[in-house]
């Protein structure tokens, strides 16, 4: 076995986690920057367009969720098989990932064709808002192959400890997107003004650029895992193992979509500004959460590999370091959102009414950041053991079954500011419930 893979077993935990996590953190921060810049350009195009993006984001999240579900399922199982030194099965898992990705792309395209306008019409009677959202989503979801394959190939490389290629892949995609955004949104020279559709075209071109780069790195580089259809057979047991983690991962991310949809339904009763401020919050909070998810991309392959190698002590050291890193990142983010919300919001074009709502939104929801970090770590632990179902239940409670009912109840007081407190309440509740379960899962998995 090559030294590239041996590092998963032999490198010191701190060096390994940061060598794999920091490139992923950088990648995720690039992605966060793209999300914010995209919204900044759209806010300069029109405030109606920014409102439309807020309504459209749940359907866009469904596409991303399906892409992540398949890719994380493949990557997690890959890491375990590599930890078991079963390279032949690892190759078959990667190839299976390509097949299921094609199927997932077809599902999203069909959903886009039949579902976009009916979905948007649920939240606004204004046809111009529906058309703005449709112009964006029909392109982003209809031409989603770049996003799906880029994510899959990145996870296959990350499962082998190769973190630099995914970082450069996301960097290329973000740069292409950021450069093209103002050109396609506002027009330039022979390129006409395309507004929301222009933003979507810039997005998919960035995703395709990422896909091309990471595909070249995977297929033409020297790696432990190879994708090949020679003598390949689909196996039910392999699919079961992939989807044991993949389906819960997809559901976990889709829950965000459903939650945002339901929260928009609560908030729209207050004002369009309430919906828009939540959309702005999600764009800005990505700068805080993306580092955590970046370290997740480093920690999950390490934990999965270590579990496959049955090294309980190394597993625990990695988890503790991941927790410490996540809490430090979230503490910084909490301070920034509470004490400097005006600085964060200064990038967006908005009137004073929206600005006032957005400031309060950021300050209150930021209270949830530190418990949210612990929730993400706990979910990663369950996924590394192949127990995606528990991770899914945790996320359902955290983002849906606790958050939305509490938000609805608080909304009955007729005070918008109270609704935002549903976020910290939900996060704290889930941490209290699931920390003991995670400890029990660790002891059970290693027979301690």
């Amino acid at each position: 076995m090559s030294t590239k893979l041996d590092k998963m077993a032999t490198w010191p935990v701190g060096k390994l986690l940061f060598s794999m996590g920091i490139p992923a953190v950088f990648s995720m921060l690039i992605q966060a920057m793209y999300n914010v810049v995209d919204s900044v350009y759209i806010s300069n195009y029109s405030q109606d367009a920014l409102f439309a993006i807020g309504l459209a984001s749940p359907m866009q999240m469904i596409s991303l969720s399906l892409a992540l579900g398949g890719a994380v399922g493949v990557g997690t199982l890959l890491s375990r098989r590599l930890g078991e030194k079963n390279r032949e099965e690892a190759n078959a898992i990667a190839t299976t990932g390509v097949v299921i990705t094609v199927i997932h792309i077809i599902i999203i395209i069909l959903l886009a064709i039949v579902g976009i306008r009916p979905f948007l019409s649920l939240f606004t009677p204004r046809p111009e808002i529906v058309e703005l959202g449709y112009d964006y989503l029909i392109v982003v979801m209809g031409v989603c192959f770049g996003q799906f394959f880029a994510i899959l190939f990145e996870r296959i490389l990350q499962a082998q400890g190769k973190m630099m290629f995914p970082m450069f892949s996301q960097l290329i995609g973000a740069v292409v997107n950021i450069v093209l955004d103002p050109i396609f949104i506002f027009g330039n020279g022979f390129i006409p003004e395309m507004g929301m559709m222009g933003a979507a075209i810039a997005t998919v071109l960035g995703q395709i650029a990422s896909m091309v780069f990471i595909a070249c790195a995977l297929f033409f580089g020297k790696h432990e895992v190879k994708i090949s259809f020679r003598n390949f057979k689909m196996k039910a047991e392999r699919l079961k193992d992939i989807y044991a983690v993949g389906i819960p991962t997809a559901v976990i991310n889709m829950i965000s979509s459903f939650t945002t949809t339901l929260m928009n339904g609560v908030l729209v009763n207050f004002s369009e500004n309430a919906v828009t401020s939540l959309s702005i919050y999600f764009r800005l909070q990505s700068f805080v959460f993306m580092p955590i998810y970046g370290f997740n991309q480093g920690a999950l392959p390490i934990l999965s590999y270590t579990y496959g190698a049955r090294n309980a002590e190394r597993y625990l050291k990695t988890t503790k370091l991941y927790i410490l890193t996540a809490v430090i990142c979230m503490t910084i983010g909490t301070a920034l959102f509470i004490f400097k919300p005006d600085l964060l919001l200064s990038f967006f074009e908005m009137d004073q009414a929206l600005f006032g709502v957005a400031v309060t939104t950021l300050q209150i929801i930021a209270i949830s950041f530190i418990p949210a970090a612990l929730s993400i770590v706990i979910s990663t632990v369950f996924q590394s053991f192949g127990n995606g179902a528990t991770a899914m239940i945790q996320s359902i409670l955290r983002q849906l079954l606790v958050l939305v009912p509490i938000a609805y109840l608080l909304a009955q007081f007729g005070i918008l500011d109270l609704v935002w407190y549903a976020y910290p309440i939900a996060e704290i509740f889930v941490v209290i419930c699931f920390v003991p379960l995670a400890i029990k899962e660790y002891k059970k998995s290693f027979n301690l």
Side-chain angles (χ1 to χ4, degrees), residues 271-394:
S271 67
E272 289 186 359
N273 282 345
V275 175
T276 304
S277 70
L278 185 63
S279 176
I280 292 171
Y281 159 75
F282 279 124
R283 286 342 189 241
L284 290 172
Q285 62 97 345
S286 61
F287 277 110
V288 180
F289 279 79
M290 287 302 185
I292 311 303
Y293 288 119
F295 276 106
N296 169 272
Q297 290 185 27
L300 183 55
I302 298 170
L303 294 174
S304 299
Y305 183 98
T306 306
Y307 171 53
R310 297 298 188 268
N311 191 332
E313 182 181 356
R314 188 172 175 84
Y315 187 100
L316 185 59
K317 286 182 179 179
T318 303
T319 304
K320 288 180 177 178
L321 184 58
Y322 181 26
I323 290 172
L324 178 62
T325 305
V327 169
I328 290 172
C329 291
M330 285 300 195
T331 301
I332 296 171
T334 301
L336 186 61
F337 270 59
I338 290 177
F339 298 112
K340 289 292 182 181
D342 52 337
L343 176 64
L344 298 172
L345 295 170
S346 64
F347 297 102
F348 296 86
E349 186 69 28
M350 65 181 75
D351 58 31
Q352 281 301 116
L354 175 57
F355 181 83
V357 174
V359 165
T360 305
T361 303
L362 267 57
Q363 290 177 323
I364 295 176
I365 300 182
I367 301 170
S368 68
F369 285 177
I370 293 176
L374 297 175
S375 288
I376 293 168
V377 174
I378 292 168
S379 179
T380 304
V381 167
F382 288 126
Q383 289 175 324
S384 70
F385 290 129
N387 190 352
T390 302
M392 179 179 67
I393 293 169
Q394 175 197 351

Side-chain angles (χ1 to χ4, degrees), residues 87-312:
R87 189 186 296 185
E88 182 179 350
E89 179 60 17
N91 292 340
I93 292 165
T95 307
T96 302
V98 173
V99 176
I100 64 176
T101 295
V102 172
I103 296 171
H104 293 168
I105 290 169
I106 294 171
I107 291 171
I108 290 300
I109 292 173
L110 293 175
L111 178 62
I113 293 171
V114 303
I116 293 175
R117 280 198 175 96
F119 175 81
L120 295 172
S121 298
L122 292 173
F123 302 99
T124 179
R126 298 168 60 192
E128 65 271 23
I129 298 296
V130 172
E131 289 307 307
L132 285 169
Y134 179 85
D135 287 347
Y136 185 80
L137 284 175
I138 195 63
V139 175
V140 169
M141 296 178 68
V143 192
C144 64
F145 69 90
Q147 178 188 51
F148 272 72
F149 280 113
I151 292 174
L152 173 67
F153 296 156
E154 287 168 5
R155 291 288 178 162
I156 290 173
L157 288 171
Q158 288 170 350
Q160 303 169 69
K162 311 286 182 66
M163 307 302 292
M164 297 303 293
F165 290 119
M167 181 185 75
F168 284 115
S169 171
Q170 294 195 29
L171 176 62
I172 290 168
V175 169
V176 169
N177 193 356
I178 290 170
V179 169
L180 294 181
D181 250 337
I183 296 174
F184 288 141
I185 292 174
F186 303 105
N188 187 287
F190 64 90
I191 298 176
E193 177 184 320
M194 290 184 279
M196 290 282 278
M197 185 170 286
I201 293 171
T203 295
V204 298
L205 288 177
Q207 292 167 351
I208 291 170
S210 290
M211 179 198 71
V212 171
F213 173 83
I214 201 70
C216 289
L218 178 62
F219 288 102
F220 298 111
K222 293 182 179 180
H223 308 293
E224 289 76 29
V225 176
K226 300 292 182 182
I227 294 173
S228 174
F229 286 92
R230 181 178 297 178
N231 301 321
F232 169 74
K233 292 182 180 179
M234 293 286 285
K235 291 186 177 180
E237 187 66 26
R238 191 181 301 132
L239 287 171
K240 177 183 175 183
D241 289 341
I242 289 172
Y243 281 115
V245 173
I247 289 177
T249 299
V251 171
I252 287 168
N253 286 275
M254 285 184 189
I255 288 168
S256 298
S257 171
F258 296 136
T259 300
T260 303
T261 300
L262 294 173
M263 288 298 294
N264 284 345
V266 172
L267 296 172
V268 77
N269 293 315
F270 288 93
S271 67
E272 289 186 359
N273 282 345
V275 175
T276 304
S277 70
L278 185 63
S279 176
I280 292 171
Y281 159 75
F282 279 124
R283 286 342 189 241
L284 290 172
Q285 62 97 345
S286 61
F287 277 110
V288 180
F289 279 79
M290 287 302 185
I292 311 303
Y293 288 119
F295 276 106
N296 169 272
Q297 290 185 27
L300 183 55
I302 298 170
L303 294 174
S304 299
Y305 183 98
T306 306
Y307 171 53
R310 297 298 188 268
N311 191 332

Side-chain angles (χ1 to χ4, degrees), residues 61-101:
M61 181 59 71
I62 289 175
S63 177
L64 176 61
S65 299
L66 199 55
L68 281 172
V72 170
V74 169
T76 302
L77 189 59
L78 261 179
S79 294
R80 291 213 302 271
R81 295 298 175 262
L82 291 173
E84 297 164 359
K85 313 301 182 186
N86 190 346
R87 189 186 296 185
E88 182 179 350
E89 179 60 17
N91 292 340
I93 292 165
T95 307
T96 302
V98 173
V99 176
I100 64 176
T101 295

